[in-house]
Amino acid sequence: MGTIELGPERGRLLIKTGRTGLGRRAGHDLTIEATRWSGALTLPGDATSVADATAEGSSVEVRVPVDALDVREGAGGVLPLSDQDRTEILGNLRTVLGAAEHPEITFESTGVHGTPAEFTVEGRLTVAGRTEPLALRARAEDGRVVGSATVKQTRWGIKPYSAFFGALKLADDVAVEFDLRL
C-alpha cells in the first residue's frame, strides 16, 4: 500500500457559505480556507499514485484545526467585507463550532467506490464533537483530485448564524470543496 501525506502544500480545502432571509443583501457569501490541515490518502496494493490505484480499497483521513480556518473572500453584501467583519466572523465561527471543547474537525473514510475518473468517498465527519456520515464526490485528473460535499449544519447540531433578529441568516447547507495535487 502507498500512502500520500496531505496538507496545504498539496492543495486547498475551502468552505463556502450562502445567505438567506429578508436581510440577505446586507451579508456576504463567504469563502473560508483551512490554512493548516493534515491528512493521509492510502492507496490499495502496490499503487503509488492515484492513476495506478483503484478506488476500492483506498482510504483517506483529514484533520483540520478550527483555529486554522480563515475568511478569504466575502462576495455580495451592501458593503465590502472589512477586516473587522473578518475578525467578527472568525470569532462567531469558533464559538459556533465550540473550538475550546472541540478544537478539530475530522473526516475518516469508511469506503471508496467508483473509478479514479469519478468516485465517491463515504465516511464520518466530526464537527463540534458530533460525528455523522458524509459522502464526498470526487474525480482524479492530471495528477489532481478535485471534489466536494454539502454539509447541512443542523445535522451536526449547529444552529446557522443569524443577525438582525433573524432577517439575515447563514444558509444551512455549506459547501466543502477540495483541490489536491498528488
Side-chain angles (χ1 to χ4, degrees), residues 39-61:
L41 169 63
T42 303
L43 303 172
D46 58 1
T48 56
S49 74
V50 174
D52 298 336
T54 60
E56 316 303 334
S58 297
S59 66
V60 66
E61 60 181 56

Side-chain angles (χ1 to χ4, degrees), residues 64 66 93-107 124-132 153 155-158:
V64 179
V66 172
L93 178 64
R94 290 182 177 118
T95 298
V96 165
L97 295 179
E101 300 85 24
H102 310 288
E104 275 191 328
I105 298 168
T106 62
F107 178 80
R124 296 183 300 268
L125 177 67
T126 302
V127 180
R130 185 164 174 177
T131 303
E132 295 289 337
Q153 296 178 81
R155 186 170 173 202
W156 276 263
I158 298 168

Side-chain angles (χ1 to χ4, degrees), residues 1 8 16-17 37-38 42 62 78 85 99 118 120 126 129 142 150 171 180 182:
M1 256 188 231
K16 295 189 175 186
T17 69
W37 58 279
S38 62
T42 303
V62 174
V78 175
D85 292 334
E118 191 170 318
T120 300
T126 302
D142 300 325
T150 299
L180 308 173
L182 302 175

Side-chain angles (χ1 to χ4, degrees), residues 14 25 53 67 75 84 93 97 102 114 145 156 161-162 176 181:
L14 301 175
R25 297 180 116 197
D67 68 359
Q84 182 179 346
L93 178 64
L97 295 179
H102 310 288
V145 174
W156 276 263
Y161 176 80
S162 68
V176 177
R181 290 176 313 281

Side-chain angles (χ1 to χ4, degrees), residues 7-180:
E9 66 283 349
R10 290 242 185 228
R12 299 179 79 187
L13 290 178
L14 301 175
I15 300 166
K16 295 189 175 186
T17 69
R19 55 210 148 110
T20 66
L22 296 174
R24 70 182 167 271
R25 297 180 116 197
H28 300 88
D29 294 330
L30 301 174
T31 299
I32 299 168
E33 183 172 8
T35 58
R36 292 185 334 271
W37 58 279
S38 62
L41 169 63
T42 303
L43 303 172
D46 58 1
T48 56
S49 74
V50 174
D52 298 336
T54 60
E56 316 303 334
S58 297
S59 66
V60 66
E61 60 181 56
V62 174
R63 302 179 106 51
V64 179
V66 172
D67 68 359
L69 298 175
D70 195 20
V71 177
R72 293 297 193 205
E73 185 180 320
V78 175
L79 299 172
L81 192 65
S82 69
D83 288 340
Q84 182 179 346
D85 292 334
R86 290 173 197 271
T87 300
E88 184 178 322
I89 289 165
L90 290 174
N92 289 333
L93 178 64
R94 290 182 177 118
T95 298
V96 165
L97 295 179
E101 300 85 24
H102 310 288
E104 275 191 328
I105 298 168
T106 62
F107 178 80
E108 187 176 319
S109 66
T110 56
V112 181
H113 312 285
T115 66
E118 191 170 318
F119 55 97
T120 300
V121 180
E122 295 173 351
R124 296 183 300 268
L125 177 67
T126 302
V127 180
R130 185 164 174 177
T131 303
E132 295 289 337
L134 181 70
L136 310 168
R137 296 189 210 287
R139 66 185 186 284
E141 57 185 39
D142 300 325
R144 295 174 41 217
V145 174
V146 178
S148 65
T150 299
V151 173
K152 185 175 284 292
Q153 296 178 81
T154 52
R155 186 170 173 202
W156 276 263
I158 298 168
K159 181 180 177 190
Y161 176 80
S162 68
F164 305 119
F165 304 103
L168 170 63
K169 300 176 190 174
L170 187 67
D172 196 9
D173 287 350
V174 174
V176 177
E177 299 177 359
F178 54 93
D179 185 344
L180 308 173

